[in-house]
Amino acid sequence: MDKQQTFPKDFYWGASTASHQVEGDTLNQWSVWELAHAKHLANTTEERLGYLPMWDEIKKQAQNPDNYVSGKGVDHYNRYVEDFDIAKKLNLNALRFGIEWSRLEPEEGQWDEAGVEHYRDYIKELKKRGIEPFLNIWHWTIPIWFDDMGGFTKGKNLKYFYRFVEKIAKEYGRDLTYVITLNEPNVYTSFSYMTGEWPPQEKNNLPHAVAVYLNLIRAHKRSYKILKKVNPNIQIGIAAQLANIQAKRPHNIVDESVTKIMRYLWNWWFLRRIRKQQDFVGFNYYFTDYYRKTKRDNPKVPLSDMGWYMEPEGLYPLLLRAYAHYKRPIFVTENGVADMHDQYRQWWLQETMIAIERALSEGIDVRGYFHWSLLDNFEWKYGWWPKFGLVAVDRHQGMKRTVRPSALWWAEQLKKQK
Ligand code: BGC
């Protein structure tokens, strides 16, 4: 890439994290589920992942129950200042992070002041370094007491979520410019209530899936109002999961129709419902999916460590479409690759910057990009073996942080944009 500055000066270059995936010692519905299922996940991993090109390398870790327990995380709860210094060295000027509801309200109606103060200091330390905080309210984890009453399956439970949002608004609202309310409602609803892979592991429970999806729409809309009341300047959106869905055979009417339906249902349905309550369109991009009839039929290479087909340039058509639909500023709130040998990340980042640059040159109002992730983190039901971090963390060597070569390369590119 040449030296000239090609992105707007105030463009946000950031990284994303999520509380449960990095903090350590979280006590929520996920941490309880992990302890109950770690053994089973370890024993059945070969039948699920044995096909991966990386299988021989990950086998030992993937067959160890410890892999499936978030436990001490990467101790980000205690090392956030050190981690912000690293982010600063990488020339990042924004960080997306999650608030852990179960820390703020471990028991229904009782606020934990230490937890409240923690995130206050967190925001302060980010700002001190010129790193813009993008606070994410909900990234799939819920307190155990909220889970016990049925979580988001019941509309009457939403009052507890609103109270939590009111607390966030009251405590931090005046110090924030950007808030993301929800992370990937479509993924959460599908995995928790349709495929049954995630807690509460309800399989094909359509009534619950529909209820949760609709309740999350209500949750976003009300949160928007609550936050704006405290600080009308806050810019609010969600982090949607958008896939670049394409027809395998471009002139095949079945492939084309399935593609259109999938795009509408997976990508746009939720965003359309909340279009009047979003100041920006935030979305996470990982996948390009080609459909042959109703089945995904993706190219066989290149694949990430998780076996996901990689097409970083697929970000471009999504940026165009998201802008055409909603005419709002866009933030790419997550994007990245599981790559333990750091062999693809630099290429991925380079293609991604080109995609964004192209979109900007077409007049698309892209305002920021957040790489997933700042640190290696707990990858939900896959556990610890997938490596998404710009910064590697060795959990067996005192949580040692090591910046990956691709991240150093990226930091150099970002320097040229300053
Ligand atoms: C989620 C992250 C996750 C990432 C990689 C996103 O869908 O928001 O929590 O780690 O994908 O799988």
Side-chain angles (χ1 to χ4, degrees):
M1 258 178 228
D2 68 33
K3 285 210 169 54
Q4 105 203 43
Q5 184 217 315
T6 48
F7 293 87
K9 269 259 177 256
D10 54 358
F11 197 86
Y12 285 118
W13 293 106
S16 274
T17 60
S19 55
H20 183 67
Q21 295 181 269
V22 288
E23 285 186 352
D25 290 325
T26 47
L27 184 54
N28 52 39
Q29 99 280 28
W30 258 93
S31 58
V32 169
W33 183 82
E34 289 156 21
L35 292 174
H37 291 82
K39 233 180 165 165
H40 176 73
L41 288 169
N43 291 339
T44 52
T45 189
E46 184 154 15
E47 58 202 61
R48 278 176 290 113
L49 301 176
Y51 72 93
L52 287 180
M54 285 290 168
W55 175 247
D56 283 343
E57 263 181 273
I58 62 164
K59 186 173 169 169
K60 199 163 155 234
Q61 197 182 355
Q63 291 185 328
N64 181 346
D66 290 348
N67 174 65
Y68 301 94
V69 179
S70 55
K72 294 276 164 209
V74 291
D75 199 28
H76 180 62
Y77 194 75
N78 297 309
R79 294 171 198 239
Y80 58 100
V81 169
E82 177 194 339
D83 292 337
F84 298 166
D85 284 340
I86 299 174
K88 187 72 196 164
K89 277 202 193 111
L90 293 178
N91 294 321
L92 301 181
N93 60 359
L95 186 88
R96 175 183 162 208
F97 69 99
I99 287 253
E100 180 61 34
W101 185 2
S102 60
R103 270 191 204 286
L104 255 58
E105 196 180 1
E107 301 294 336
E108 196 258 290
Q110 291 176 22
W111 302 109
D112 181 82
E113 281 314 310
V116 175
E117 284 315 307
H118 169 81
Y119 293 108
R120 195 188 315 287
D121 193 57
Y122 195 100
I123 293 167
K124 196 181 91 201
E125 291 291 337
L126 280 171
K127 288 182 131 183
K128 224 160 88 181
R129 287 166 179 75
I131 302 176
E132 183 68 37
F134 280 64
L135 183 148
N136 191 135
I137 297 179
W138 176 76
H139 198 127
W140 303 339
T141 49
I142 50 179
I144 291 158
W145 57 263
F146 185 72
D147 188 42
D148 287 344
M149 38 172 96
F152 287 106
T153 60
K154 298 202 177 100
K156 70 174 173 32
N157 292 349
L158 287 176
K159 60 177 179 285
Y160 301 105
F161 184 74
Y162 301 149
R163 191 173 60 186
F164 168 51
V165 176
E166 270 159 18
K167 180 76 177 166
I168 292 176
K170 178 172 152 246
E171 298 290 346
Y172 318 119
R174 279 167 215 90
D175 299 324
L176 295 167
T177 309
Y178 297 98
V179 172
I180 293 164
T181 56
L182 308 173
N183 182 68
E184 300 188 351
N186 52 357
V187 173
Y188 173 80
T189 308
S190 317
F191 284 2
S192 295
Y193 297 97
M194 291 305 290
T195 67
E197 291 163 80
W198 289 359
Q201 285 196 297
E202 294 183 12
K203 207 167 177 175
N204 293 327
N205 191 337
L206 195 60
H208 271 182
V210 171
V212 167
Y213 216 39
L214 295 176
N215 284 332
L216 287 172
I217 289 174
R218 287 171 63 194
H220 170 81
K221 288 186 174 175
R222 177 76 80 90
S223 303
Y224 186 89
K225 267 200 197 139
I226 294 171
L227 291 157
K228 285 282 186 189
K229 211 167 148 197
V230 170
N231 177 357
N233 297 325
I234 299 189
Q235 301 299 293
I236 303 165
I238 68 164
Q241 217 281 3
L242 302 189
N244 175 32
I245 300 171
Q246 299 291 348
K248 183 79 180 178
R249 297 162 296 180
H251 299 293
N252 179 286
I253 187 143
V254 181
D255 296 9
E256 282 286 7
S257 311
V258 170
T259 295
K260 289 217 168 89
I261 294 167
M262 285 303 296
R263 280 181 188 166
Y264 178 70
L265 292 178
W266 187 256
N267 288 348
W268 310 123
W269 194 85
F270 196 99
L271 282 173
R272 202 178 145 67
R273 305 272 116 30
I274 60 161
R275 69 190 181 285
K276 294 199 182 112
Q277 292 85 12
Q278 56 175 1
D279 303 310
F280 60 84
V281 177
F283 72 85
N284 303 343
Y285 168 69
Y286 293 92
F287 304 105
T288 287
D289 285 328
Y290 292 89
Y291 276 86
R292 178 189 292 275
K293 297 190 181 151
T294 55
K295 293 241 152 57
R296 253 195 305 243
D297 183 0
N298 284 345
K300 303 289 173 284
V301 286
L303 299 183
S304 76
D305 294 352
M306 294 171 83
W308 298 353
Y309 164 62
M310 295 183 285
E311 196 171 300
E313 63 273 30
L315 178 61
Y316 175 72
L318 278 179
L319 289 170
L320 257 57
R321 277 196 202 104
Y323 194 64
H325 286 327
Y326 308 109
K327 293 276 186 300
R328 290 276 194 287
I330 297 178
F331 289 97
V332 180
T333 40
E334 276 181 40
N335 169 266
V337 65
D339 180 20
M340 66 168 97
H341 296 307
D342 204 34
Q343 52 185 332
Y344 294 116
R345 200 170 280 104
Q346 179 177 325
W347 159 75
W348 178 283
L349 283 162
Q350 183 158 17
E351 291 293 333
T352 299
M353 284 179 89
I354 292 169
I356 297 172
E357 204 179 346
R358 275 175 72 197
L360 284 166
S361 81
E362 289 288 309
I364 309 302
D365 188 7
V366 194
R367 302 271 178 101
Y369 167 82
F370 291 78
H371 192 76
W372 185 271
S373 179
L374 180 64
L375 304 160
D376 282 343
N377 54 65
F378 182 73
E379 185 50 38
W380 307 107
K381 74 161 192 186
Y382 294 96
W384 285 106
W385 65 261
K387 304 293 182 201
F388 275 93
L390 292 166
V391 180
V393 181
D394 191 337
R395 300 179 74 241
H396 302 292
Q397 300 290 331
M399 302 278 179
K400 188 168 179 286
R401 272 77 168 138
T402 310
V403 175
R404 292 205 159 94
S406 56
L408 291 174
W409 174 86
W410 195 38
E412 277 306 303
Q413 307 309 308
L414 298 187
K415 202 157 114 193
K416 294 176 199 164
Q417 304 302 328
K418 281 188 171 176

